[in-house]
Amino acid sequence: MRNLTLLTDLYELTMMQGYFKNSEVNETVIFDAFYRNNPEGNGYSICAGLDQVIDYIKNLHFEEEDISYLAGLGIFEADFLDYLKDFRFTGDIYAIPEGSVIFPREPLIKVIAPIMQAQLIETAVLNILNHQCLIATKAARIVRAAKGDGVMEFGCRRAQGPDAGIYGARAAMIAGCVGTSNVLCGKMFDVPVSGTHAHSWIMSFPDELTAFRAYAKLYPDACILLIDTYDTLDSGLVNAITVFKEMREAGALSKRYGIRMDSGDLAYLSKKVKAALDAEGFTDAIISASNDLDEGLIESLKSQGATINSWGVGTNLITSKDCPAFGGVYKLAAIQDRKSGRFIPKIKISENAEKITNPGDKTIYRIYDSQGMIVADLIALIDETFDPSEPLMLFDPIETWKKTLLKGGNYSMKEILVPIFKNGECIYQSPKVMEIQKFCKAELETLWEESKRFEYPHQTYVDLSKKLWNLKNDLLEQYQFGLQS
């Protein structure tokens, strides 16, 4: 487990020293980590990264060399550096589980901790969530475009560094990929790994047929042959069929055999390949494609009648090339009063309405209709209770005249923020990745089809309870009229 304690922005540490020196502002606080917009105009996002956040928090401490480095910067005083020697996280964390469908403006993680602790972890928490939620959401789009075909994650060599390759592949698996080419990811997270061979394998042999025969002899149970090294149809396909015939005659043809193409007009070529394979009795052969694929190209190839049934997606998935940032933020929501112990709500104000934060100690309720489909998410204050047998009025927190009345008994509610750390101790056991993938699939099935379309999807409502909405507007008025004490 790596120590990522110094994976932080310098100003987090300078603020920590400021809190340390000013005891009047060194309080227990609440921070919310959330995002403002779904990437790529999507109708939802997928939550990923919590497991790494947990590992990070568990291992949060300053090594001797860390403190020596900080001392060498010349901006930290001896008493603060001495305090860091015994630094540990002692607070509470609540989070939405990995694989969950998530929406803008709702807290993915809620941190309740002394302000120095809560401040320090901001950068790393956002680094982890912003990357993995982004890749999981991109992968979910690609898997949806494939319409049941297997999608392999092939992006490690194009990822922005080793961690992006490893944890990006993990996020892609959560969102529905059937395997990854990343062997270290497979080892670390017990997920399926798969791969074929490169053009260099073909080129290293005297001829293509010899290369195919050698590969088939080595890997008869996973014989996917790359056929576009020289000529896809007149050489690669012909030689692949020859090898498949030889394997069939020898009784060595397994259920997992077929071809892969990495270039050319994939719609045209796949139809020709399928016809030729079918004519020789290889009707169950895998026809795999790679070559800078994404959800748009896969959807286009599907609409053109491409006969591809397995997709290897690399660069555009692992980098989320057309939307490279998730945009998560981490904002102060409340400060605990020393005398009363209650949390005093805090709000950040902006001329941009979407940047005005939601104050207070909050939780999230997911509201489902009688068929188990998501109606809306409701952000509420922690002390609020709701009775699904009673009517519930939902309203848009900005355009408040837009209202929906849910009849009692016709809906259900589930609190989706769950406790992860309590008093610095982890009380949550992360499921295995393939279990999270199963959960994610079930989550996606609670979304309306209109919310999953690629173009102009329906945006699921994220509403505020009336009590939270009133609190927010009271604070806005206090600041507007200079009444804030």
Side-chain angles (χ1 to χ4, degrees), residues 460-475:
T460 300
Y461 299 114
V462 178
D463 297 324
L464 306 183
S465 69
K466 187 64 164 63
K467 187 174 180 180
L468 175 55
W469 187 88
N470 287 338
L471 171 64
K472 183 174 184 177
N473 280 275
D474 287 346
L475 288 174

Side-chain angles (χ1 to χ4, degrees), residues 225 236-246 273 276-277 280 282:
L225 302 175
L237 177 60
V238 172
N239 288 323
I241 288 174
T242 298
V243 170
F244 296 153
K245 286 180 176 179
E246 293 171 353
V273 166
L277 289 169
E280 298 293 343
F282 301 113

Side-chain angles (χ1 to χ4, degrees), residues 56-71:
Y56 161 70
I57 296 294
K58 284 181 176 179
N59 202 36
L60 194 64
H61 69 282
F62 291 87
E63 306 280 0
E64 287 186 14
E65 55 265 35
D66 297 335
I67 295 173
S68 295
Y69 168 75
L70 295 175

Side-chain angles (χ1 to χ4, degrees), residues 59-175:
N59 202 36
L60 194 64
H61 69 282
F62 291 87
E63 306 280 0
E64 287 186 14
E65 55 265 35
D66 297 335
I67 295 173
S68 295
Y69 168 75
L70 295 175
L73 295 178
I75 57 176
F76 297 108
E77 298 183 11
D79 55 348
F80 175 66
L81 294 172
D82 190 58
Y83 158 79
L84 295 182
K85 293 178 181 178
D86 296 317
F87 180 90
R88 294 292 188 277
F89 183 81
T90 62
D92 302 342
I93 293 179
Y94 296 80
I96 297 178
E98 289 188 283
S100 297
V101 168
I102 52 176
F103 306 107
R105 299 177 299 282
E106 57 191 21
L108 309 183
I109 286 183
K110 179 175 74 171
V111 178
I112 307 175
I115 194 167
M116 284 192 286
Q117 298 176 24
Q119 195 76 70
L120 175 66
I121 68 175
E122 172 183 5
T123 302
V125 166
L126 289 179
N127 174 275
I128 293 166
L129 290 181
N130 278 332
H131 174 242
Q132 295 183 46
C133 292
L134 178 70
I135 303 306
T137 304
K138 182 66 171 179
R141 287 171 60 89
I142 292 169
V143 169
R144 178 168 174 77
K147 296 181 179 178
D149 297 338
V151 175
M152 287 290 302
E153 185 282 314
F154 278 176
C156 188
R157 63 187 61 193
R158 301 285 176 80
Q160 285 97 341
D163 278 3
I166 295 165
Y167 290 98
R170 180 184 182 276
M173 292 298 302
I174 285 173

